Amino acid sequence: MRSLLQDLRYESRFLIKNPGFAAAVILTLALSIGANTAVFNFTNALLIRALPYSDPQKLVLINVQRNADTVSASASLNRYEMIRDHNRSFTGVAAAANDSMNLTGSGEPQQVAIARVTPNFFSVLGVVPYLGRAFSDDEGRPEGQRVVMISNNLWRNRFGSNQEIVGRTINLDSIPYTIIGVLSANVQFPFLAPADVWTPRYFEHTLMPTARLRLGVGYLSLIARVRDGVSLASAQSEANVLNEQYAQANPKAPDAGPSHTLKIDNLRDATVANIKRLLLLLTGAVAAVLLIGCANVASLLLSRALSRRKEIAIRTAIGAQRAIIVRQLLAQCLLLASISGILGFALAFGAVHTLPKLQIDQLPAGAPISMDWRVLLFTIGVSLFAGVIFGLAPALQLSRVNVSTMLRDEDRGTTGGRGHARLKSALVIGQVALSLVLLIGAALLLRSFTRLLQTDPGFDERNLLTMNISLPTVKYANPEQQIAFFNELLRKTSVLPGVRSAAISTALPLNPKRITPVLPEGQPEVPLTERPFIIIEAISPAWFQTMHLPLQGRAFTDADIKNSPNVVIVNQALAKRYWPNENPIGKHITIGRLTPSEIVGVAGDVKNDGVASDPKVQLYMPFAQIPWADVNLLLRTSVEPHSIVSAVRQQVFSVDAEQPITAIQTGDELMEQARAQSRFTMLLTASFSVIAIVLALIGIYSVLAYTVAQRRQELGIRLALGAERSSIVATVVRQGLMLVGCGVGVGLIVSAVATRAMASVLYHVSTLDLATYCLAPLGFLLMGLLASYIPARRAAEVNPLEIMR
């Protein structure tokens, strides 16, 4: 230990005397370690760390899945009750549904996110409230007392952290509820949308009457706890049997029939399914950055070793053992790695607290992203790994000196050290290859994002203002009341200064909300459960005008009301699928259990399932024929959209003083949000690529500078004998380009294999995109040419007279 401390003190003095060298190494490693630590922190939180529940490995999600499209759907109330009452694989089955209600009576009206859960929801998860108690079974019955638990965030922001909050009454949709508990701040449910209020009235929903929920409407997420000794395979087998029993007992339900199955998934696996591939992709990228950083630092150490060869030779000559020399050189590397690890951890800490603010859609909502002891151990491990990796080879090279040759030739500047040069060349080739892989990956993501920017969403997002209005169905229980509210609101907002047109819709573009089984005219008559499910949307007559959407046929009018014949407008995708060579106008389509509706128009396709997906089949219905309490108000403006928000809010209050508005955003912001995930992936990968390229260029420069220093006497003699300086420059540049060329060749082969993992995150771009595979290597060759030219110029400036003396 004493010897190690002496080595550390000696190497510390050496680094203090060489601050430029120390700073270059520390900064290089800090960036590499910081990037790896930041990505590992997300991987740890989402893939490694146990969920904050009791025995989380026994928790599963039960999904209803349609075999036709393998898309998971919510479960119906009847299906939940059958699973709850007839299963033998679970100790408990809980259900939850997201909703929203208006909180009034204490301050300004506020729309709050609601989670409707079964009374056993928290006990199944093993969650204990911070204040108060959990729900009782009696409170989960229709006749039970109306009670709620509130989130820690709502308790602090709305009620000022009042310790006497338990027992207090609040109004939700004008109905009194009693607060019985407050959840802890660290309780999060990443498998559900975030909520501020929790109620055990899971058999109700703001948008639908209970009678309709009993018809097979899917709105519940099911969470269960597996019994001891029961495997997922056994639970899945029982779920298959229960699914058949449900289909037999509910033959007319839309979620029954042979096209629907039950799928049991581990809760963690289901939660991170959408982001797992992205995390693995980023992990590979930062690992490449770390290897490049280690190779670059190893090159710097080899270059620095040129000035210490005589020192090591003298120490060896007077009796220093090789093991002692290696230990001392490794002590320097570990010291540098430790300092770099501390700085890298700080950089990662800043990144971890910045990335969630970007509101990346694929991050599970409410996922506990925080640094813990695993992240700290990872940073220490990576630092030690880096210290050994970049230090071992130079230490072994430097300790293997020929004492007599070194002492005899050092002062004469011979061209020794060919082993060093070969090692540095190999490191540079590896750096270039890995950097090219990252560069190609970043270029593919850039081309993909460019395609997304150029994609026509189908509507005009400019000067468009959107906001959400969710009416309390207790106050607006009748469809006529809902229609009257929105008709009055449209009348008032459409005449506001700066508003060109106003409309309402039940969903926003890019974000489907409702699907239903349909039977187009001319298709075989099949039961309701076997009909295709498509996206439907209820809109007001001016919706197509407001969205600047092309329309063949006629738009809806004020005459298309409940008692008039049912009419619909279909999109082009639906028309092409069911009537490819016919005019669909005048044909009929049966929607759910409604009477057949006449098609009166064909609308242009809108991106209705994300900006990166092709438009799916969809139909539009008049809002007056299928009213909905949760609606989006859309305004086409002649002024900056946000400038009229206050005026719109006043008009809402003039219709109902207790009605809040939420989710205010422009059409441009809607598109930006849709592209956020692609932009995040591109920027992060591009950042890693830039770091890698810079490190690779430094490596090219250092190996050529090292070579020029080694060949200084030789180059001076050549100049003295009449060699042209341009030929000296060409010789050195040629050497640099040979290294880059070898690295590019290896990198192209690796890229062709590695980029296959990116296929799922690319939009209309092949993983073997020809332009990318041509331009990226060419760009790297040009950058390599620049990195080679600087030491080449230095070689040509050697003074032959000085060398000869």
Side-chain angles (χ1 to χ4, degrees):
M1 180 61 68
R2 179 178 300 177
S3 299
L4 179 60
L5 292 177
Q6 289 176 349
D7 291 341
L8 290 175
R9 284 197 297 269
Y10 177 82
E11 295 301 334
S12 298
R13 291 194 298 269
F14 176 80
L15 295 177
I16 292 174
K17 293 179 180 178
N18 299 272
F21 166 76
V25 172
I26 291 172
L27 182 59
T28 298
L29 285 180
L31 290 173
S32 304
I33 294 173
N36 277 267
T37 302
V39 172
F40 175 79
N41 185 73
F42 284 89
T43 304
N44 172 57
L46 299 175
L47 302 182
I48 300 176
R49 185 193 303 164
L51 294 172
Y53 311 122
S54 175
D55 292 331
Q57 69 278 3
K58 295 181 180 180
L59 293 173
V60 296
L61 280 181
I62 306 176
N63 289 315
V64 179
Q65 197 168 63
R66 297 184 70 240
N67 293 335
D69 50 19
T70 67
V71 174
S72 296
S74 301
S76 63
L77 182 58
N78 293 340
R79 185 184 284 275
Y80 158 68
E81 291 175 346
M82 169 170 277
I83 297 174
R84 178 196 64 188
D85 298 336
H86 295 88
N87 84 87
R88 297 181 179 179
S89 299
F90 311 116
T91 58
V93 181
N98 292 110
D99 200 355
S100 63
M101 302 175 79
N102 295 336
L103 173 61
T104 57
S106 56
E108 184 178 335
Q110 176 184 355
Q111 186 180 99
V112 293
I114 304 293
R116 296 183 178 274
V117 299
T118 53
N120 67 337
F121 179 83
F122 296 108
S123 61
V124 167
L125 294 175
V127 173
V128 179
Y130 174 71
L131 291 177
R133 62 174 178 84
F135 303 125
S136 66
D137 291 338
D138 290 339
E139 292 164 345
R141 297 188 174 95
E143 68 276 8
Q145 181 185 5
R146 292 182 180 269
V147 296
V148 295
M149 294 179 65
I150 62 175
S151 68
N152 201 276
N153 182 63
L154 184 66
W155 174 59
R156 286 184 284 104
N157 295 335
R158 182 84 179 193
F159 302 104
S161 303
N162 183 1
Q163 295 291 328
E164 306 299 326
I165 192 68
V166 175
R168 181 172 172 176
T169 299
I170 59 174
N171 291 327
L172 293 171
D173 284 356
S174 304
I175 297 178
Y177 286 77
T178 302
I179 298 175
I180 64 168
V182 178
L183 288 175
S184 300
N186 60 348
V187 173
Q188 297 167 333
F189 306 94
F191 48 87
L192 294 173
D196 282 318
V197 177
W198 304 76
T199 173
R201 304 189 72 81
Y202 66 95
F203 43 81
E204 299 175 346
H205 201 278
T206 301
L207 302 177
M208 291 169 284
T210 303
R212 186 175 177 185
L213 296 179
R214 289 289 180 186
L215 295 177
V217 176
Y219 73 106
L220 293 171
S221 297
L222 305 185
I223 304 98
R225 182 173 291 277
V226 180
R227 293 184 184 276
D228 292 338
V230 177
S231 65
L232 279 183
S234 298
Q236 181 64 63
S237 298
E238 185 184 36
N240 296 337
V241 175
L242 292 175
N243 184 64
E244 294 178 2
Q245 294 176 355
Y246 176 78
Q248 295 172 1
N250 302 272
K252 296 183 178 181
D255 63 334
S259 62
H260 289 79
T261 59
L262 284 178
K263 191 171 187 300
I264 310 296
D265 291 308
N266 178 271
L267 182 60
R268 174 184 290 282
D269 294 342
T271 300
V272 302
N274 292 333
I275 199 173
K276 187 174 182 179
R277 184 180 293 273
L278 173 61
L279 287 175
L280 295 178
L281 175 65
L282 294 179
T283 299
V286 294
V289 171
L290 179 63
L291 292 176
I292 293 169
C294 290
N296 191 61
V297 171
S299 294
L300 291 174
L301 285 173
L302 283 171
S303 298
R304 195 65 192 176
L306 191 63
S307 64
R308 300 191 67 181
R309 289 187 302 168
K310 188 172 183 178
E311 168 202 341
I312 299 300
I314 294 174
R315 294 176 59 189
T316 302
I318 61 177
Q321 298 180 357
R322 186 185 182 194
I324 296 176
I325 295 175
V326 171
R327 185 192 67 197
Q328 187 178 50
L329 295 175
L330 283 178
Q332 180 193 81
C333 299
L334 293 177
L335 179 63
L336 290 169
S338 300
I339 299 173
S340 302
I342 295 173
L343 181 57
F345 189 85
L347 293 174
F349 184 84
V352 166
H353 286 77
T354 300
L355 290 179
K357 297 178 182 179
L358 299 178
Q359 300 179 346
I360 306 306
D361 290 342
Q362 286 192 0
L363 286 179
I369 307 297
S370 59
M371 305 185 81
D372 62 7
W373 60 270
R374 295 183 186 85
V375 180
L376 180 60
L377 287 181
F378 176 83
T379 305
I380 295 174
V382 169
S383 301
L384 293 177
F385 169 81
V388 172
I389 288 298
F390 74 71
L392 188 59
L396 292 177
Q397 283 276 345
L398 194 57
S399 63
R400 195 186 299 118
V401 297
N402 186 312
V403 177
S404 60
T405 301
M406 186 63 63
L407 293 179
R408 182 177 64 251
D409 294 341
E410 180 68 27
D411 289 334
R412 286 162 41 193
T414 62
T415 60
R418 293 179 181 175
H420 292 188
R422 285 193 295 268
L423 178 58
K424 285 175 67 66
S425 298
L427 291 173
V428 168
I429 292 173
Q431 285 180 277
V432 171
L434 290 175
S435 300
L436 183 63
V437 173
L438 289 180
L439 178 59
I440 289 177
L444 289 174
L445 291 172
L446 176 60
R447 284 180 59 80
S448 175
F449 185 69
T450 302
R451 294 283 176 87
L452 281 179
L453 291 177
Q454 297 171 348
T455 297
D456 181 10
F459 66 95
D460 185 3
E461 70 270 25
R462 297 166 298 178
N463 290 97
L464 182 68
L465 181 66
T466 72
M467 60 191 70
N468 179 261
I469 299 174
S470 183
L471 299 179
T473 51
V474 174
K475 189 174 183 179
Y476 297 89
N478 298 324
E480 292 75 14
Q481 292 176 304
Q482 300 171 7
I483 294 171
F485 175 91
F486 287 112
N487 283 343
E488 179 66 9
L489 180 60
L490 287 174
R491 184 186 68 81
K492 290 191 171 187
T493 55
S494 61
V495 297
L496 285 173
V499 175
R500 291 179 175 174
S501 62
I504 59 172
S505 64
T506 52
L508 290 173
L510 312 176
N511 300 286
K513 182 172 289 187
R514 301 169 67 184
I515 60 172
T516 192
V518 301
L519 182 62
E521 180 181 316
Q523 298 299 307
E525 183 74 32
V526 294
L528 185 67
T529 58
E530 299 180 20
R531 296 175 183 177
F533 279 71
I534 69 167
I535 301 170
I536 66 169
E537 185 172 346
I539 60 174
S540 62
W543 189 82
F544 294 104
Q545 174 189 350
T546 302
M547 298 297 291
H548 289 179
L549 200 65
L551 177 66
Q552 299 175 3
R554 74 168 178 87
F556 299 135
T557 68
D558 293 335
D560 296 318
I561 57 177
K562 182 177 181 180
N563 297 324
S564 64
N566 293 337
V567 293
V568 297
I569 294 174
V570 301
N571 69 347
Q572 292 178 352
L574 189 147
K576 291 177 181 178
R577 173 177 294 186
Y578 295 108
W579 303 285
N581 300 314
E582 302 177 65
N583 183 2
I585 297 177
K587 295 186 180 295
H588 292 77
I589 185 168
T590 303
I591 303 170
R593 293 184 173 88
L594 300 177
T595 57
S597 302
E598 181 184 356
I599 299 174
V600 298
V602 179
D605 286 335
V606 173
K607 294 280 187 174
N608 51 15
D609 192 23
V611 69
S613 299
D614 293 331
K616 292 181 169 53
V617 294
Q618 177 178 355
L619 58 82
Y620 303 90
M621 301 183 67
F623 179 79
Q625 291 186 351
I626 182 173
W628 196 254
D630 186 17
V631 167
N632 299 286
L633 176 64
L634 303 99
L635 303 172
R636 175 68 60 183
T637 69
S638 59
V639 296
E640 200 284 319
H642 281 297
S643 65
I644 64 171
V645 170
S646 178
V648 175
R649 182 180 283 110
Q650 292 303 317
Q651 297 304 316
V652 174
F653 289 164
S654 71
V655 180
D656 186 341
E658 294 185 339
Q659 179 59 50
I661 60 176
T662 59
I664 301 171
Q665 58 183 344
T666 66
D668 292 326
E669 291 168 347
L670 186 68
M671 293 298 297
E672 288 297 308
Q673 182 180 356
R675 299 184 183 113
Q677 179 60 50
S678 297
R679 180 186 296 105
F680 168 75
T681 307
M682 178 198 68
L683 291 178
L684 209 56
T685 307
S687 299
F688 297 150
S689 176
V690 169
I691 294 173
I693 291 171
V694 170
L695 295 179
L697 294 178
I698 293 175
I700 296 170
Y701 172 83
S702 66
V703 73
L704 293 180
Y706 175 85
T707 302
V708 169
Q710 290 285 77
R711 301 177 62 187
R712 187 168 177 269
Q713 188 179 54
E714 171 200 341
L715 297 175
I717 295 174
R718 288 192 177 192
L719 290 171
L721 295 175
E724 296 290 337
R725 294 187 183 273
S726 59
S727 66
I728 299 296
V729 172
T731 299
V732 178
V733 169
R734 189 182 306 113
Q735 181 181 1
L737 290 180
M738 287 181 61
L739 294 176
V740 176
C742 292
V744 165
V746 175
L748 286 174
I749 297 173
V750 176
S751 297
V753 177
T755 53
R756 293 181 181 178
M758 300 175 58
S760 62
V761 298
L762 297 178
Y763 175 69
H764 291 182
V765 175
S766 169
T767 57
L768 297 176
D769 181 68
L770 181 61
T772 300
Y773 276 75
C774 290
L775 294 178
L778 180 60
F780 215 114
L781 287 171
L782 292 176
M783 290 184 286
L785 177 63
L786 178 62
S788 304
Y789 181 72
I790 298 175
R793 282 292 303 272
R794 182 175 300 175
E797 293 172 357
V798 171
N799 188 336
L801 295 179
E802 180 182 346
I803 294 297
M804 296 304 295
R805 282 198 301 267

